Amino acid sequence: MVRIVLPAHLRTLAQHNGEVQLDVPSPVTQRSILDALEARYPMLRGTVRDHVTHERRAFVRFFACEEDLSHESPDTPLPDAVASGAEPFLIVGAIAGG
Amino acid sequence: MSQVRVLVGTRKGAFILESDGKRQKWDVSGPHFAGWEMYHVKGSPADPNRLYASQCSGWFGQMIQRSSDGGKTWEPVDNKFVYDGVPGTHQWYDGKPHPWEFKRVWHLEPSLTDPDKVYAGIEDAALFHSADGGKSWQELPGLRGHGSGPRWQPGAGGMCLHTILLDPMDPRRIFIAISAAGAFRSDDAGVTWKAINQGLRSEYIPDPTAEVGHCVHRIAQHKSRPNTLFMQKHWDVLRSDNAGDLWKEVNGNLPDDAGKRGFGFVIDVHAHEPDTIYVVPIKSDSQHFPHDGKLRVYRSRAGGNEWEPLTKGLPQQDCYVNILRDAMAVDSLDSCGVYFGTTGGQVYASADAGDNWAPIVRDLPAVLSVEVQTLA
């Protein structure tokens, strides 16, 4: 079971409080997590990554195990701790603006 | 007993203001979608409980929300706006080709007859429509395919399609306006389009009378006389009596601004008097606040040229807000109510066609749009 932490606005949009827990097929990657997330919460399509290109939106970042994984390939397997659910996969709205 | 529902989109959420027909006491609900930019909220003329809202964020992109109970509850619908075919390019600020990229939905225009049919005007400028209540969106590509699309250029606010007028007497006729391309008309339900900018003069573009390139801020029409259109352009207020085929300037005695007149964003028409129109003159294209710090709505009862300032109840000193292009609307009660919102977060209302004004609310986030529903 993969654990996903959404930013507040997306939790509101998905009408889900707390962490999201999803069964994600192996290998667990950014892409497979987001595919599963969007299948469970269709209203999140287009909010984390582009509808068509599937590129990460510019002001969204991905973190796990205290590392910024935003620039990793979406198909790179994530750390075992994420795949096992020991650590969450964090989707973060970048600190921007003023 | 009649009721009025005012739908307000702001930089940080949507608000719904409701009153009875006296329009003296108002209930305020919101913020709906707190923290999101709400570019536009509008109700269906065919079913006033059906509302559509454009919700967007620099972080998380575009959402479209739909309500079927007058804004008490909402459901997200489809937010996928994909240009038809290969999008091609328009001009960038420097005149170089720039690929068409979806940024946000500026304006939602529900059908006059079908609550599940709705049009969306987007940035970069294109017209989309949905026939299933927003569950899916398709572009009407004939607009960008007009042939002038590669010459369209963004205004300071982006290259937005911000105005959609549906002709109440001819369901196949649609008017739209784009900053900074101009106004266009379709006579075949959006399949093909004609640029309707003859008579516009824009000194800030290389050819001031070009077919396209004009920064049209807003157009308005009265439902009883849809061939008469009123336009608030970057500079100049204009009028057409032949469905946009030819425009003439009607600045008249609007405030002088270093030799020019008629800068502003909003324009609207009285609900019962098709020659009574309203604008809010704004000081120049570089300052964007009212002349002399005085917030004045100007009304013409002659369809332009002859204007009177309306000031009662509006701040007449130290007022430096702006009124954005989608932030004025009228109700259809007798007498006609007029409403507008400011970037300072006030929504002003007049229950007597503009003679007297009072703020409904004073301290909202910056107001992006105001729409009004008159409920039986």
Side-chain angles (χ1 to χ4, degrees), chain A residues 7 9-10 13 43 45-47 51-52 57 59-60 93-94 96, chain B residues 34-36 55 57-61 63 65 76 78-80 82:
Chain A
H9 280 311
L10 298 191
L13 197 57
M43 68 285 282
R45 290 175 183 158
T47 64
H51 272 292
V52 178
R57 290 187 57 80
F59 287 176
V60 171
Chain B
W36 291 71
Q55 169 191 10
S57 148
W59 286 262
F60 306 116
M63 300 297 299
Q65 297 278 349
D78 192 34
N79 60 349
K80 189 175 182 181
V82 178

Side-chain angles (χ1 to χ4, degrees), chain B residues 121-177:
Chain B
I122 74 163
E123 177 188 355
D124 290 337
L127 183 63
F128 280 70
H129 71 144
S130 171
D132 55 11
K135 292 178 181 172
S136 64
W137 296 92
Q138 298 82 38
E139 185 184 10
L140 290 165
L143 176 61
R144 286 189 311 113
H146 168 258
S148 62
R151 305 201 302 276
W152 302 355
Q153 201 165 19
M159 201 175 80
C160 52
L161 194 162
H162 49 70
T163 302
I164 304 168
L165 299 179
L166 305 176
D167 190 320
M169 294 186 182
D170 180 353
R172 297 175 64 78
R173 177 167 278 187
I174 307 172
F175 302 92
I176 65 95

Side-chain angles (χ1 to χ4, degrees), chain B residues 32-56:
Chain B
H32 303 270
F33 319 110
W36 291 71
E37 287 187 305
M38 302 303 296
Y39 263 66
H40 196 215
V41 186
K42 190 156 188 179
S44 161
D47 175 3
N49 282 326
R50 169 60 61 83
L51 309 181
Y52 293 96
S54 170
Q55 169 191 10
C56 59

Side-chain angles (χ1 to χ4, degrees), chain B residues 18 78 111 190 349:
Chain B
E18 293 180 290
D78 192 34
S111 156

